[in-house]
Amino acid sequence: MSNRFVEAGLRAPVNLTWEVTLACNLRCEHCLSSSGEPAEGELSTAEALSLVDQMHKVGVFQINFGGGEPFMRTDFEEILDACHARGIMTCISTNGTLIDAGLVERLSRTRLVAIQVSLDGAEKATCEAIRGAGTYDDALRALRLLAASPIPTSINTVLTAQNTTEVPALYDLAERLGVTLRVSRFRPSGRGSDNWEALRPSPQQLLDFSNWLESRGDVRTGDSFFSLTAQERQGLGLNLCGAAKLTCCVGPTGNVYPCAFMQLDQFKAGSLRERDFQAIWDDSEIFASLRGLRIHSCEDCRRFDQCHGGCPAVAYHLKNDIEGGDPECLERCVTSIAEKAAAA
């Protein structure tokens, strides 16, 4: 799929992130949505099933479920069943604490589900400093149950200053368990914004991770690290932001946003309680502005073809300027390191 075609916008997103609830039994320090208690007025079962129907009709290929903790919703398996009955692929992001043998057996009845279990450190102390006591063992238990099933499973790690040196060990752990590794970018959203300075990787850590990633074609990053991706990995995915072009996000109460890290009033594209999904996707001014977004300040950069200005969400959260270019792109990391060395 060419970048030009993606930039023009598709008739429907290829995949959709659906934050089905804000309810969560953990209080992770980097949580993008400050999850804990359910949001007031979350979609009812009937509304959720209606959304599945709409996704099927417009041709969404995959729904990525997150939260909160999706399994905190008592009707979540019913929502999954509705997706699978319509041939929609599903990927579930979970903390693993609610996964048991019975649930794994039920989910194994379809070939349309994949699961990623959050584990934010190869060392127990590193993980639990971010996610809370007991989470490391719970995640490993869930991963072992899933690895013994036919469900495609991955460890999902959010890269922080505390765990960057443990990523190679996480890769080895994933191999031993028989699962894969996915590394996600830490962004200043939700509780992540409150703990940004304590958890954000340094420019040197980001550069070291990028160098390590070059030779690890089997490590997935989605599009979260395209601004940090070396040219050798560019063929593995998009090299520009897919928000409002290839994907978008539905929040727990039915509000639609460009991506999960832009769930703010100023980026609200519409409400599914007021308009159907296709109308929002086609006519939203917010989506149109992102489809036409050009990061002119980055156009003279030698790596512009590799990242096209990086992540607009990070630019907004850190600089209050969606057109300002990603402050953590690979080129800025290199420049920051050089400036620090010159000043020493």
Side-chain angles (χ1 to χ4, degrees), residues 116-133:
Q116 54 185 39
V117 178
S118 296
L119 188 71
D120 287 313
E123 299 294 331
K124 184 174 183 176
T126 305
C127 179
E128 295 192 352
I130 294 174
R131 307 191 65 83

Side-chain angles (χ1 to χ4, degrees), residues 2-9:
S2 72
N3 286 344
R4 179 177 297 178
F5 185 58
V6 172
E7 288 174 339

Side-chain angles (χ1 to χ4, degrees), residues 22 27-28 30-37 68 189-194:
L22 282 187
R27 301 293 185 273
C28 300
H30 56 26
C31 179
L32 70 92
S33 57
S34 299
S35 293
E37 298 302 318
S189 172
R191 269 195 297 275
S193 178
D194 298 334

Side-chain angles (χ1 to χ4, degrees), residues 36-292:
E37 298 302 318
E40 184 177 350
E42 292 188 350
L43 294 179
S44 67
T45 301
E47 289 173 320
L49 296 179
S50 173
L51 178 55
V52 173
D53 269 335
Q54 292 183 57
M55 294 300 99
H56 174 60
K57 288 175 182 175
V58 302
V60 170
F61 176 74
Q62 177 172 308
I63 297 176
N64 301 317
F65 286 103
E69 169 52 48
F71 290 108
M72 292 285 284
R73 272 194 74 128
T74 57
D75 61 355
F76 183 51
E77 289 186 62
E78 184 177 354
I79 296 170
L80 287 175
D81 289 343
C83 292
H84 300 153
R86 291 157 180 79
I88 299 174
M89 298 286 296
T90 60
C91 180
I92 306 165
S93 295
T94 175
N95 59 38
T97 60
L98 302 179
I99 290 179
D100 58 27
L103 176 58
V104 171
E105 191 280 325
R106 292 192 298 276
L107 294 176
S108 296
R109 296 171 190 170
T110 179
R111 294 295 184 265
L112 296 176
V113 65
I115 295 181
Q116 54 185 39
V117 178
S118 296
L119 188 71
D120 287 313
E123 299 294 331
K124 184 174 183 176
T126 305
C127 179
E128 295 192 352
I130 294 174
R131 307 191 65 83
T135 55
Y136 183 82
D137 290 337
D138 283 343
L140 287 181
R141 174 188 52 77
L143 285 162
R144 291 187 179 104
L145 283 171
L146 290 162
S149 79
I151 299 172
T153 302
S154 60
I155 292 172
N156 185 60
T157 299
V158 176
L159 192 73
T160 63
Q162 289 72 20
N163 67 21
T164 55
T165 60
E166 296 179 23
V167 172
L170 280 162
Y171 179 83
D172 294 340
L173 174 62
E175 279 200 323
R176 292 197 301 273
L177 291 171
V179 301
T180 57
L181 177 64
R182 184 181 192 275
V183 184
S184 296
R185 186 174 175 187
F186 175 45
R187 291 180 172 100
S189 172
R191 269 195 297 275
S193 178
D194 298 334
N195 297 299
W196 175 249
E197 293 302 330
L199 298 178
R200 68 181 300 188
S202 69
Q204 185 63 59
Q205 288 174 320
L206 291 171
L207 185 60
D208 290 345
F209 171 72
S210 178
N211 291 335
W212 177 84
L213 195 61
E214 281 185 33
S215 60
R216 301 298 190 281
D218 55 342
V219 175
R220 294 180 298 114
T221 62
D223 69 352
S224 61
F225 274 112
F226 62 88
S227 60
L228 287 167
T229 300
Q231 190 169 359
E232 289 76 10
R233 281 180 57 94
Q234 287 298 321
L236 299 179
L238 284 175
N239 60 355
L240 79 166
C241 173
K245 309 178 190 80
L246 191 71
T247 186
C248 66
C249 173
V250 174
T253 62
N255 292 333
V256 182
Y257 304 94
C259 79
F261 297 94
M262 302 175 87
Q263 294 183 73
L264 301 168
D265 288 343
Q266 54 267 51
F267 296 114
K268 178 181 171 182
S271 169
L272 293 169
R273 286 173 167 154
E274 299 170 0
R275 306 181 73 193
D276 64 32
F277 179 82
Q278 187 72 71
I280 295 172
W281 179 259
D282 289 342
D283 302 331
S284 162
E285 292 183 8
I286 290 294
F287 283 1
S289 67
L290 279 165
R291 288 166 188 158

